[in-house]
Amino acid sequence: MAKAGATSKATEKGSDRSDTTRRALVIAAIESLKKDGFTRASARVIAQRAGVNQGLVFYHFGSVTNLLLAALDAVSEERLQTYGNEVTKVVSPGELVDTAEGIFKNDLEAGYITVLVEMIAGSFSTPGLGSEVAARIQPWREFAQSSIERSLGDSPLNGVLPSKDVAHAIVALYLGLEMLSHLDGDAAPALALFAHAKQLASLFEAMTAPATTKESS
Amino acid sequence: MAKAGATSKATEKGSDRSDTTRRALVIAAIESLKKDGFTRASARVIAQRAGVNQGLVFYHFGSVTNLLLAALDAVSEERLQTYGNEVTKVVSPGELVDTAEGIFKNDLEAGYITVLVEMIAGSFSTPGLGSEVAARIQPWREFAQSSIERSLGDSPLNGVLPSKDVAHAIVALYLGLEMLSHLDGDAAPALALFAHAKQLASLFEAMTAPATTKESS
DNA sequence: GTCTATACTTGGATAGAC
DNA sequence: GTCTATCCAAGTATAGAC
């Protein structure tokens, strides 16, 4: 299935060549998903973008679908690594909303979510792709859940709030907003929501903060 | 561009023939979007489903894209007509959540949102399709907004709540949940959210109802 | 092991038959 | 006006060259 493993310190020069080609194809695949969409992300188009022969897609990845999944993996990994650090610093709902807004803007600009949405879209057409994509969304879901729980800290709400379900909703909302933003060519409605969320977060903090300091009786 | 207009009371029998073919193609296109997805919803596949020659797609609709848009129109119209009646009876947030849950389940089963999501997905690949689909989502957004405002009634929140932004979020969430449900082949997480929303709604109703009776000072 | 040239399939669109 | 037979472009995949 995968070709992972000992490629870094190999003695053959052939591995380097292979690796270069693979990397070029993955980058070109990401670019194609962003700019052309799933439907037009064909072996021919991707290979041309990478400057290599079209047949190499099948030699190195077995199928176009596998290459696209590799592209999604690459994006997913880079994204989680970048944002993972940012989010560990978050200790309140207000900060979480701020961070989420920054991530949303960055995702929109970088086209990270576009890649994911395209793959989801393609999943409806390509048999068997659905479960593969679903498995790759799982880390994002867990990322959302742990972020929520961390931001709530030791608030009493932490035990009551169904963080798993909320995380599911957040991911769904995130994907939906991204789709609509692209469709309308306008991110304003989505960004307006972050402003409202910020107000809600500060309202929440104002409601819960006094409860811990004012412990009379 | 379009072939709208005098087809109902025409004297020629040819119009009937044309109408039959067109209708068959639209139905087949809907079915294809649901079961095959945007990518595989080709003129050939759709025509075969409809039992007509593939070239008729281009004769009657000019292009595959136009046929798919006609399919989206048909679904959108039927959906809004069905749900429009249900929602006018809603007079409280609790009832709204109940109705929304029913609509969500029905949409999921009927595949209505699948058709929309497929078209949105295709919009990323097909130049010019985006704005067309966006225009067709507008009624759904307005539908959500008016439903929210109606359910709030004369509550003081009605003036404060940014119903337009909330409606945008609801539509986005709705699309996202539908996508994830399809992907996972499991609607349970989405349905769990409706249960939570129901609790929130009754909490909200309990908080606002006494406020109108207890008007001291 | 890596890559290229080629085979085969499916799709969009139209010229021309009825 | 309605429909069919046919054309050409684009896609996936592989047999065989290096």
Side-chain angles (χ1 to χ4, degrees):
Chain A
M1 271 254 167
K3 243 193 181 185
T7 46
S8 53
K9 228 180 154 187
T11 43
E12 320 98 69
K13 292 175 193 166
S15 290
D16 281 349
R17 264 182 83 81
S18 174
D19 232 46
T20 305
T21 306
R22 288 172 64 89
R23 228 183 292 275
L25 280 172
V26 167
I27 290 171
I30 293 171
E31 216 57 25
S32 269
L33 282 173
K34 280 188 207 169
K35 296 186 180 168
D36 304 325
F38 183 87
T39 307
R40 302 209 164 169
S42 67
R44 286 182 135 87
V45 169
I46 295 171
Q48 185 169 19
R49 231 187 247 279
V52 302
N53 187 284
Q54 163 265 145
L56 292 179
V57 168
F58 303 95
Y59 171 65
H60 285 291
F61 294 91
S63 69
V64 177
T65 302
N66 281 346
L67 170 54
L68 296 179
L69 282 173
L72 179 56
D73 280 335
V75 167
S76 202
E77 199 176 329
E78 186 186 337
R79 203 192 94 107
L80 284 178
Q81 200 161 357
T82 308
Y83 300 151
N85 290 332
E86 291 182 27
V87 120
T88 48
K89 299 171 193 161
V90 168
V91 290
S92 74
E95 285 176 28
L96 181 61
V97 173
D98 281 336
T99 306
E101 186 183 16
I103 291 177
F104 182 81
K105 282 180 180 170
N106 193 52
D107 274 342
L108 198 66
E109 197 178 345
Y112 286 162
I113 311 289
T114 302
V115 171
L116 178 60
V117 168
E118 282 301 316
M119 289 301 285
I120 294 174
S123 297
F124 288 74
S125 297
T126 309
L129 185 54
S131 58
E132 294 289 334
V133 174
R136 284 161 177 83
I137 290 180
Q138 193 53 35
W140 301 40
R141 213 176 292 189
E142 287 163 6
F143 175 72
Q145 186 178 353
S146 63
S147 301
I148 292 166
E149 287 171 359
R150 183 179 300 108
S151 79
L152 289 177
D154 52 1
S155 155
L157 199 65
N158 210 339
V160 185
L161 193 98
S163 60
K164 197 172 180 181
D165 291 335
V166 172
H168 185 83
I170 295 291
V171 171
L173 177 63
Y174 206 81
L175 293 174
L177 287 177
E178 172 77 21
M179 285 204 312
L180 291 181
S181 294
H182 261 269
L183 212 61
D184 297 334
D186 178 21
L191 295 178
L193 281 171
F194 280 104
H196 297 311
K198 244 177 261 187
Q199 288 187 316
L200 280 178
S202 48
L203 186 71
F204 171 79
E205 286 171 15
M207 280 171 67
T208 53
T212 52
T213 49
K214 196 201 220 171
E215 193 121 332
S216 55
S217 100
Chain B
M1 276 258 165
K3 243 195 181 185
T7 45
S8 52
K9 230 181 149 189
T11 43
E12 320 98 69
K13 292 176 196 167
S15 291
D16 281 350
R17 265 181 83 81
S18 174
D19 232 46
T20 305
T21 305
R22 288 172 63 90
R23 227 183 293 275
L25 280 171
V26 167
I27 291 172
I30 293 171
E31 217 56 23
S32 269
L33 282 173
K34 280 188 209 169
K35 297 186 180 170
D36 305 325
F38 183 87
T39 308
R40 303 210 164 169
S42 67
R44 289 182 131 87
V45 169
I46 295 170
Q48 185 168 21
R49 231 187 247 279
V52 302
N53 186 284
Q54 165 263 145
L56 292 179
V57 169
F58 303 95
Y59 172 64
H60 285 290
F61 294 91
S63 69
V64 177
T65 303
N66 280 346
L67 169 55
L68 295 179
L69 282 173
L72 178 57
D73 280 334
V75 166
S76 201
E77 198 176 329
E78 186 185 336
R79 204 193 94 107
L80 284 178
Q81 201 162 357
T82 308
Y83 299 152
N85 289 330
E86 290 182 28
V87 120
T88 47
K89 298 171 193 162
V90 168
V91 290
S92 74
E95 285 176 29
L96 181 61
V97 173
D98 281 336
T99 307
E101 186 183 16
I103 291 177
F104 181 82
K105 282 181 181 171
N106 193 52
D107 274 342
L108 197 67
E109 197 178 346
Y112 287 162
I113 312 289
T114 302
V115 171
L116 178 59
V117 168
E118 282 301 315
M119 289 301 286
I120 293 174
S123 296
F124 288 74
S125 297
T126 310
L129 185 54
S131 58
E132 295 289 332
V133 174
R136 284 161 176 83
I137 291 180
Q138 193 53 34
W140 301 40
R141 214 176 290 189
E142 288 164 5
F143 175 73
Q145 186 178 353
S146 64
S147 300
I148 292 167
E149 286 171 359
R150 183 180 299 108
S151 79
L152 289 176
D154 51 1
S155 155
L157 198 66
N158 210 338
V160 185
L161 193 97
S163 60
K164 197 172 179 179
D165 291 336
V166 173
H168 185 83
I170 294 291
V171 171
L173 177 63
Y174 206 82
L175 293 175
L177 287 177
E178 172 77 21
M179 285 203 312
L180 291 181
S181 295
H182 261 269
L183 213 60
D184 298 334
D186 178 20
L191 295 178
L193 282 171
F194 280 103
H196 297 311
K198 243 177 261 188
Q199 290 187 314
L200 281 178
S202 48
L203 186 71
F204 171 80
E205 285 171 16
M207 281 172 66
T208 52
T212 52
T213 51
K214 195 203 221 170
E215 191 120 336
S216 54
S217 100

